[in-house]
Amino acid sequence: MNDAKRLNKYISESGFCSRREADKLIAANRVTINSKVPELGTKVLPGDIVKVDGNQIGTTANDKSDRVYIAYNKPIGITCTTERHVKGNIIDAIKHKERIFPIGRLDKPSEGLIFLTSDGDIVNKILRAENAHEKEYVVTVDKPISQTFINRMSNGIPLEELGKTTKKCKVKKLDSHTFNIILTQGLNRQIRRMCTYLGYEVQTLKRVRIMNIKLDVPVGKYREFTKDEIKTLNTLLEDSTKTFQAKQSRNRRKN
């Protein structure tokens, strides 16, 4: 039984989708194991045949050498969804030959760096706020930036509509209307909501870095990660958990 894998992990490692999306497919009865519809949490054994919508899912190489990792400079107007019926979806915009999906999202009016991959197993490791991976942005607002604005943005903003207060972050004024901000959270429209709370309106928002990878391709273009970038990324992700429960369990074992 040591070779058994949870079904959502098996699907995500195949490059078909993320674990979260795999759970949705399983719940919708779109997945079968050996022609039978499984439950959430079912384990896949060596030799089992897993299919999604009748199409067989293959296993991945142990070293993930067959996985795709790309950095894309998303233009304004592109929507970060894999739903092909959505006009301006990111999959049609990129036209990659492999089946890939975005890690996280950038709002339609925002631009800049976003990762896409066929490795569903790393998605939550990068995205979960508990793992505190940095994402850096350059933002222009509609009126002059004060030191009070910088201080308040840095120390946390209450977002009542989300029921949360943003974590402390690094904010630096670049010019009268532009600032740099480094977040370890990924709340919905976080920077825009923070600015609105302080009476500012975002004019432009560009993500320029995720973890160790910087934006270095023209708008609308992408490139594959280098071997060194993948190595560094994996090192940064070594201590990351895929779920908050997993981190709690690990901390209990340490104490």
Side-chain angles (χ1 to χ4, degrees):
M1 294 295 289
N2 290 338
D3 293 330
K5 289 184 180 179
R6 287 178 64 91
L7 179 55
N8 61 354
K9 178 178 174 65
Y10 182 92
I11 294 173
S12 71
E13 286 186 348
S14 76
F16 189 87
C17 63
S18 68
R19 287 198 189 193
R20 181 179 297 179
E21 292 302 318
D23 283 336
K24 292 179 181 178
L25 293 172
I26 297 164
N29 296 328
R30 294 171 59 186
V31 179
T32 61
I33 301 177
N34 302 328
S35 301
K36 295 181 180 179
V37 176
E39 298 178 351
L40 285 171
T42 298
K43 298 247 180 121
V44 180
L45 300 173
D48 284 345
I49 296 175
V50 178
K51 295 183 179 181
V52 176
D53 296 332
N55 298 311
Q56 186 169 344
I57 298 298
T59 57
T60 184
N62 289 333
D63 62 359
K64 295 189 177 181
S65 58
D66 57 343
R67 295 283 71 96
V68 174
Y69 306 91
I70 66 172
Y72 174 56
N73 189 347
K74 185 191 90 67
I76 294 170
I78 296 299
T79 302
C80 294
T81 179
T82 58
E83 299 293 334
R84 303 294 290 274
H85 66 273
V86 176
K87 186 177 180 180
N89 70 79
I90 195 169
I91 303 304
D92 285 344
I94 291 178
K95 296 182 174 64
H96 198 278
K97 62 181 181 180
E98 301 289 340
R99 184 188 180 96
I100 56 175
F101 45 88
I103 300 179
R105 58 182 292 114
L106 272 174
D107 295 332
K108 189 174 181 179
S110 301
E111 62 180 313
L113 181 61
I114 187 165
F115 295 166
L116 292 99
T117 185
S118 60
D119 181 3
D121 208 36
I122 72 168
V123 175
N124 283 347
K125 284 186 176 183
I126 291 178
L127 295 182
R128 292 199 68 84
E130 291 85 0
N131 293 331
H133 297 308
E134 290 187 345
K135 301 178 184 68
E136 183 175 353
Y137 304 80
V138 173
V139 186
T140 301
V141 289
D142 61 335
K143 57 187 180 182
I145 296 167
S146 66
Q147 188 58 45
T148 299
F149 173 88
I150 296 296
N151 292 342
R152 295 189 70 183
M153 288 284 284
S154 300
N155 289 302
I157 298 293
L159 303 180
E160 293 183 1
E161 61 270 46
L162 300 181
K164 296 182 178 181
T165 296
T166 62
K167 292 183 177 181
K168 289 186 177 183
C169 59
K170 300 174 185 176
V171 184
K172 179 182 178 182
K173 182 177 176 179
L174 299 180
D175 61 37
S176 62
H177 289 67
T178 308
F179 65 95
N180 176 286
I181 183 169
I182 300 174
L183 302 178
T184 57
Q185 280 178 296
L187 301 178
N188 183 32
R189 297 176 66 85
Q190 179 173 342
I191 296 173
R192 295 179 187 276
R193 292 178 190 272
M194 292 169 74
C195 290
T196 298
Y197 181 88
L198 296 176
Y200 288 74
E201 182 178 334
V202 171
Q203 301 295 299
T204 64
L205 190 156
K206 177 186 289 188
R207 185 156 63 198
V208 296
R209 179 175 64 88
I210 301 174
M211 299 173 66
N212 62 306
I213 297 178
K214 295 180 179 180
L215 181 65
D216 60 1
V217 292
V219 175
K221 301 297 182 180
Y222 70 85
R223 66 167 178 83
E224 295 185 357
F225 290 5
T226 66
K227 290 182 179 180
D228 285 344
E229 285 174 336
I230 293 174
K231 182 178 179 180
T232 301
L233 184 66
N234 286 330
T235 299
L236 292 171
L237 292 174
E238 277 181 358
D239 198 42
S240 298
T241 56
K242 302 179 188 70
T243 66
F244 182 55
Q245 290 77 12
K247 175 164 278 192
Q248 286 181 316
S249 175
R250 186 183 62 184
N251 288 340
R252 283 195 296 268
R253 289 195 298 269
K254 286 182 176 180
N255 295 332

